[in-house]
Amino acid sequence: MHKRNIYIFLVFVSLSTGLFGETLKSNSPTLFRTRWFFLGTTSETFFSAVKDSSFERAIQTGVGANIFAGVDLFSVFSVRTDLEFLKVNASYPNSGIIYRGYTAASNNFRLDIYLNWLDKEQSNLNMLTGLFGGWGYSFASYTQTPLIFYYTQIFGGPRLEIFDKKHNFYSFTLELPLTYQFRRDLEYSTSLGISIGLNLYPLGGR
Amino acid sequence: MHYQKRYMITLFVKMLTGIVLLLAILSSCSLSPEAPKKYALIYGISKYIDSYNEGESPNLTYTDDDATAVDEMLKGKGYITTCRINSEATKENLDTDIETLKAIIKPTDLFLFYYSGHGMQKDNKEYILLYGSVYLSNGNIYGDLSKTYDDITFAKLLDTLPTNKRVVMLDSCNSGGFINNRLEYDTIPSDYGPSSFSSGTPTPLDILFSVNLPLQINNYAIKQKAIELYNNYNPNSSSGISPYDAIVISASGSQEYSYEDPELQHGLLTYFFLHTADTKYADLNGDGYVSTLEAFFYIKASIDANWNSAYYNYYIEYGDPSPGWTLDYIFSPHISGGPIDFVLFKASD
C-alpha cells in the first residue's frame, strides 16, 4: 500500500518536472544569489478526496496556515521545516454518510528545487519557478470529539516565487500542493490546494 | 524572457482551471443526504424483577420511559422502529428482531440500536443487562449473563446485519467499554472525575472553532499513545465494537455509572438526545442534519453544563462528603472514533 502511494507521488513529481523542463534549459538558477536563512508563513485552501473501504468517496474542504524556517543550499535548492495548523471540514452528507471533519497540527520537512529564474529588465518583479516535496506527521482531533489520532503524509507540487527587485528581504509565493495522507483507516486520503505565502530573508536575498 | 514569463503564468492559470473542473466533477456525484431507510431497535428495561416496584432496587425508574420516548421521537424522524419494554426486552427477542431485520435491511439503510437499562463490567467485558439476566430467587438477586450480551458478542451480532451503517446508543452504566477504537486515543478518561471535568470543559474558543480539548494534543503521553495505535493498527481486533462495526454513543465511561434524574424523568443521555430532535442547536455545522457526532457533542455539552457543573461546584464548595461521592456523580458520554459519521435525521428548523 505504501509503495503504491510513494509511486503515485513520484509520478506526480516527474510530471511536474516535465512541465517545467522547457524553461530549465534557458536559465540557470545559479545566476541568483543565495539567500541563506529564511523564514515565513503561508496559508492555503484545499480540497480533499477521501474514501473509506466500505463507503463511497467524498470531497472535503479545508484551510491551513503554517510558519516555517529554512536555509538555501548551493543556490539550487533549500530545505525547511514548518509547523502547520489545518482545519478540514466534514463532507456534505451523502446517502447518510459524512466523512468527519478534523483539526490537525503538523510538522513537515520539505525540499525545494529551484528550476528557473525569470528576469525582465523593464519590470520591477522577478520570478523563480521550482518544485517542492516532503514528508510530515500530524496529530489530529475529530471535530467535536475528544479523540486524537496520528498520521503521516507526503506532499509535493510546483511553486512560483515573486520578488520585488527593489526590496530583497521579502518575496511572495504561490504553490499548488498535492498531499497524500497515510490514514490507516481510509483507502485513500489526498488533497490538492493552492497556497500563498510570504518569505522573509533577514540576511538579504536575490 | 518575456515569452517565458507569460508561459509560466499561462501554465498556472491552466492548472488552476483544471483543478476547479476536476473538483466540480467530483463534487457533482452527490445523492440524497439521508440514508434511504432507517431502522431502529429500541430496548428499555425498568422492571427487572416483576414483583418489585419501579425504582425499587434492582429495578430502575425511567429507563422504560426512555425507550418509549426515543421510539416516538425516531418514528417522527422517519425511522421504522421495533420497541421492546421490560419483559419483552429479552435476548431471545433481540436475536429474533435482528434475524427479521437481516431479511429486509439493505446495505444502504441505517440501523440504530438503542438501549436503556442496567449495564455492568465483569472480567474485562462490559454487558448490557437484558430482561432475564437479573432474577430473584429465595429473596436474593442473582445474575445470569448467558441471557444477555457483552461487548464482544454484541459486535458479532451486529456484523451479521447486511448494512455497514450501524449506530448503537447505550444509556447504561459502564457502557463506554463497548467502544473499542483502533486508531484514536480518547482524551476523556474512562472515569471522568472533577479534575478531568474542569480541564476538559470546552472554552468559548473551543466552541467557536468546534474543537473540543485540542490543547491536549500538547500532552506527550497522549501523542505517544496515538503513535502507538497508528503503528499497531489492526482493524480486525476482536475486542469490543470497533468504529468499523458501528458508531457507539455511550452514556458513560467503562469505569463509571450513568444516571437517571427524577426531575427530568429520563436518563441524562436520553433526555438530551430527545432534545436533539427539536432544537436547531444540535445541528452544529448548520448543514440541516443531525449526525451521530453532533448528537454526541450536544449531549456531552448539555450533561457538562447542567449536571456535572452542579456536582463540580458542590465539590469545590463542600469537598467530598464521603470518599468518591462527587467523583461518582460526574460522568461523561463517549463516542467511537473512525473517519465516518452517520446522519441520524433532519435537523429541526
Side-chain angles (χ1 to χ4, degrees), chain A residues 26 95-96 98 119 146 148 184, chain B residues 1 4 32-33 165 187 230 341:
Chain A
S26 56
S95 296
I98 297 168
D119 188 1
I148 287 175
R184 294 204 148 183
Chain B
M1 198 69 85
Q4 284 171 348
S32 163
K165 296 177 191 170
T187 55
Y230 182 85
D341 202 16

Side-chain angles (χ1 to χ4, degrees), chain B residues 315-331:
Chain B
Y315 176 76
I316 295 297
E317 199 164 340
Y318 304 106
D320 237 354
S322 59
W325 186 86
T326 316
L327 284 171
D328 276 352
Y329 277 97
I330 291 178
F331 73 104

Side-chain angles (χ1 to χ4, degrees), chain B residues 20 62 78 80 93 151 181 188 246 263 266-268 286 294 305-306 339:
Chain B
V20 170
Y62 304 108
I80 301 157
N93 278 340
D151 53 336
N181 291 329
I188 299 179
E263 272 185 42
H266 283 295
L268 283 150
E294 287 172 323
N306 295 288

Side-chain angles (χ1 to χ4, degrees), chain B residues 235-286:
Chain B
N236 302 317
S237 160
S238 62
S239 54
I241 302 175
S242 83
Y244 325 115
D245 296 320
I247 293 176
V248 180
I249 297 176
S250 71
S252 60
S254 61
Q255 305 286 320
E256 63 191 2
Y257 300 137
S258 63
Y259 294 91
E260 47 182 14
D261 184 3
E263 272 185 42
L264 306 176
Q265 304 211 324
H266 283 295
L268 283 150
L269 175 132
T270 302
Y271 180 79
F272 291 114
F273 176 55
L274 292 169
H275 271 215
T276 62
D278 47 39
T279 172
K280 63 180 181 181
Y281 299 111
D283 177 20
L284 294 166
N285 63 3

Side-chain angles (χ1 to χ4, degrees), chain A residues 53 73 79 124:
Chain A
S53 57
L73 295 168
V79 289
N124 284 333

Side-chain angles (χ1 to χ4, degrees), chain A:
Chain A
M1 186 68 169
H2 277 223
K3 275 185 181 170
R4 195 188 71 177
N5 299 330
I6 291 165
Y7 176 72
I8 292 168
F9 172 71
L10 289 176
V11 167
F12 173 77
V13 172
S14 308
L15 287 173
S16 304
T17 308
L19 289 171
F20 286 85
E22 189 183 330
T23 53
L24 184 64
K25 295 169 194 166
S26 56
N27 282 289
S28 163
T30 52
L31 290 174
F32 53 81
R33 188 156 62 90
T34 299
R35 51 194 169 168
W36 305 113
F37 174 72
F38 60 92
L39 48 87
T41 180
T42 64
S43 61
E44 69 171 315
T45 180
F46 55 86
F47 289 83
S48 289
V50 285
K51 170 84 173 72
D52 181 280
S53 57
S54 303
F55 302 106
E56 282 187 48
R57 69 161 188 264
I59 299 291
Q60 293 179 274
T61 58
V63 291
N66 73 26
I67 51 170
F68 60 83
V71 287
D72 263 353
L73 295 168
F74 313 116
S75 301
V76 290
F77 61 91
S78 68
V79 289
R80 70 165 74 167
T81 183
D82 70 42
L83 287 174
E84 185 172 35
F85 180 78
L86 295 175
K87 180 160 172 41
V88 181
N89 299 312
S91 68
Y92 187 74
N94 186 349
S95 296
I97 299 295
I98 297 168
Y99 282 80
R100 289 177 170 177
Y102 58 91
T103 50
S106 308
N107 180 203
N108 299 305
F109 302 93
R110 163 174 158 167
L111 173 72
D112 285 39
I113 299 168
Y114 307 136
L115 294 178
N116 191 27
W117 179 245
L118 301 171
D119 188 1
K120 190 181 172 189
E121 284 178 12
Q122 300 93 320
S123 169
N124 284 333
L125 299 178
N126 282 338
M127 289 196 284
L128 175 65
T129 62
L131 294 171
F132 65 91
W135 175 89
Y137 63 91
S138 298
F139 291 96
S141 175
Y142 286 120
T143 310
Q144 291 140 9
T145 77
L147 304 169
I148 287 175
F149 60 100
Y150 169 85
Y151 62 87
T152 60
Q153 63 209 3
I154 53 172
F155 55 89
R159 70 190 293 279
L160 177 69
E161 191 168 354
I162 301 165
F163 300 87
D164 184 343
K165 282 180 184 172
K166 290 179 185 169
H167 305 286
N168 66 358
F169 59 90
Y170 72 88
S171 69
F172 295 101
T173 56
L174 176 66
E175 297 172 348
L176 299 176
L178 175 66
T179 307
Y180 190 95
Q181 291 98 9
F182 296 102
R183 302 264 309 271
R184 294 204 148 183
D185 49 3
L186 288 173
E187 216 168 275
Y188 61 77
S189 170
T190 185
S191 64
L192 188 57
I194 182 165
S195 84
I196 53 170
L198 171 69
N199 289 9
L200 300 172
Y201 311 105
L203 306 178
R206 310 287 175 191

